Amino acid sequence: MKTEKKKRKWLKVTGIILLVLFIGLGVYAYSVYHSLKNAVETMHQPIDRKQSEKRQEPVEFTKKDPFSVLMLGVDERKGDRGRSDSMIVLTVNPNNHSVKMLSIPRDTRTEIVGKGKEDKINHAYAFGGVPMAMDTVENFLDIPIDYYVKINMEGFKDIVDAVGGVTVQNDLQFTEGGYEFPEGKLKLNGAKALSFSRMRHEDPRGDFGRQMRQRQIIQGVIKEGASLSSLTNYSNIFKALGSNVKTNLTFEQMKDIQKNYKDAANDIQQMEIKEQGTKVDKIYYGIVSPEEKQRVQSVLKEQLEIE
């Protein structure tokens, strides 16, 4: 569970960085534009998947259609597609100027589309890669999943290092991951930032304290990534993204998103699914009640402006 929370957390951080780069920042000079284009071309990885049956017409960014993105945090291994230990669905609506970010626990029990059985939702990626993961999440949430972003979680530390590290204000002295974190202002590199944000058990505030630290890391990355000083290091930032991120979004689509959905990045709302842990045939699962599933589906459908 601790590993799952760590990966889900860094998936959220990466998602916000991508939103800032693709929606919020824009292009400042030809050299930056050229490097970003090269990075996105490296990231671009189309998939063999038909348009969702839950959409009558394809998404058109020029018309400011709301759209969804499935973000997968993956442990990639040599000779193996890896494991999808984190899943987050982003629903972007330029009309209400917001993004809803839903975390789906890896142990959630649901139908695995294409396998004809119920299993943990993160197994969909292991069974059938990105297409099966998208189909399974689409069926679970009853909304179209339009695009995907796959992130190599082990490489995320490179992104933090590429922006020159982050500065945080620590209000609790603790040790985590072999690092000492005294109280006060701290400058953290990628490895230390990971350990700083994962600590929970030594904090009397529990998850609340951990979430505060996560927000500090997120805000620090955005601040450093958007600063003028980072422009001099943009090639390393784009290289880190290109090496650790894959998506079926094209460069032209990202430009359209930046142009037409910019304001949505100003309001990122995080959502969670409540579930009950139980064992089925001696295997642990997270069971989502019909009422909770309906609640989440209704919010996302409203966000995507679909019935």
Side-chain angles (χ1 to χ4, degrees), residues 73-142:
V74 176
D75 275 333
E76 295 183 337
R77 306 169 187 179
K78 188 174 182 180
D80 184 2
R81 67 163 50 104
R83 299 292 184 271
S84 165
D85 285 332
S86 300
M87 288 182 163
I88 288 180
V89 174
L90 304 175
T91 50
V92 184
N93 189 318
N95 302 314
N96 64 18
H97 311 296
S98 72
V99 177
K100 291 191 183 296
M101 181 180 287
L102 172 70
S103 300
I104 304 177
R106 57 173 288 181
D107 294 326
T108 300
R109 184 177 173 86
T110 190
E111 177 188 352
I112 306 299
V113 176
K115 294 296 287 187
K117 67 173 185 177
E118 290 196 340
D119 205 336
K120 296 184 178 183
I121 197 166
N122 74 313
H123 287 182
Y125 179 82
F127 290 141
V130 172
M132 188 173 287
M134 294 177 73
D135 290 343
T136 297
V137 172
E138 182 171 283
N139 181 68
F140 175 65
L141 296 177
D142 195 29

Side-chain angles (χ1 to χ4, degrees), residues 45-98:
Q45 190 172 78
I47 56 173
D48 184 14
R49 182 176 183 258
K50 296 180 181 179
Q51 178 184 309
S52 170
E53 295 181 355
K54 299 184 184 299
R55 279 206 183 278
Q56 296 182 348
E57 300 291 338
V59 173
E60 293 191 36
F61 295 132
T62 55
K63 293 184 178 180
K64 297 187 177 182
D65 291 339
F67 69 96
S68 64
V69 180
L70 172 62
M71 301 186 65
L72 298 165
V74 176
D75 275 333
E76 295 183 337
R77 306 169 187 179
K78 188 174 182 180
D80 184 2
R81 67 163 50 104
R83 299 292 184 271
S84 165
D85 285 332
S86 300
M87 288 182 163
I88 288 180
V89 174
L90 304 175
T91 50
V92 184
N93 189 318
N95 302 314
N96 64 18
H97 311 296
S98 72

